[in-house]
């Protein structure tokens, strides 16, 4: 049985410095991202595109969404397989290419590099293999048109 889930977000531009978009340098790229019942995320563009480096940009959030989705699936699969994860940290990295003349571009790949700590009694080989299943199950990874690779490190303690 197919089920449908709906998600919503309101993005509000907060970067009108008084002149609107009268010129490329006349406005900031600042915006707020609000999802019902959750804290507001302060966003901007990448600093290469006149954005505020202190705010999250859409590219950051794309990489973070892929990493978080993978982690949540991985933890679920480990739990179901009797693998006890005690720590998980991913240093994910996305690569985007832009093309002249207008700077259009796209992500070409994202690589997840999770460092997973499991108990000594857990099966490290099975823990490593479950990353493939997590990648195949991740809703976000299944929705993008570029490869999402993973280079896990499994630590037994």
């Amino acid at each position: 049985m197919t089920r449908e889930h709906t998600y919503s977000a309101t993005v509000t531009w907060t970067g009108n410095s008084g002149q609107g978009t009268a010129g490329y340098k006349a406005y900031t790229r600042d915006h707020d991202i609000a999802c019902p019942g959750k804290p507001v995320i302060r966003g901007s563009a990448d600093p290469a595109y006149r954005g505020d480096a202190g705010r999250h940009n859409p590219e950051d959030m794309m990489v973070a969404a892929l990493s978080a989705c993978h982690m949540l699936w991985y933890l679920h699969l480990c739990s179901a397989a009797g693998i006890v994860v005690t720590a998980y940290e991913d240093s994910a990295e996305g690569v985007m290419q832009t093309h002249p003349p207008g700077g259009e571009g796209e992500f070409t790949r994202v690589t997840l590099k999770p460092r997973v700590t499991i108990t000594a009694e857990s099966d490290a080989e099975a823990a490593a293999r479950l990353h493939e299943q997590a990648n195949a199950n991740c809703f976000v990874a299944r929705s993008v048109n570029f490869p999402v690779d993973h280079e896990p490190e499994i630590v037994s303690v």
Side-chain angles (χ1 to χ4, degrees), residues 79-131:
S79 176
I83 297 168
V84 179
V85 175
T86 59
Y88 185 108
E89 182 174 329
D90 186 6
S91 298
E93 182 177 273
V95 176
M96 187 179 77
Q97 292 182 348
T98 57
H99 314 283
E104 297 83 9
E106 64 277 335
F107 274 89
T108 57
R109 75 177 173 279
V110 168
T111 303
L112 308 179
K113 300 175 184 178
R115 185 174 197 274
V116 181
T117 304
I118 61 174
T119 60
E121 300 79 28
S122 295
D123 183 341
E125 289 181 17
R129 283 193 309 273
L130 284 176
H131 282 283

Side-chain angles (χ1 to χ4, degrees), residues 28-70:
T28 74
R29 280 54 177 174
D30 295 352
H31 56 275
D32 290 340
I33 303 163
C35 298
K38 299 173 186 169
V40 171
I41 298 170
R42 295 169 43 106
S44 191
D46 183 282
Y49 302 100
R50 302 192 50 77
D52 182 340
R55 292 174 173 236
H56 295 287
N57 62 59
E59 296 80 11
D60 292 336
M61 291 187 283
M62 170 70 83
V63 174
L66 286 161
S67 176
C69 184
H70 181 92

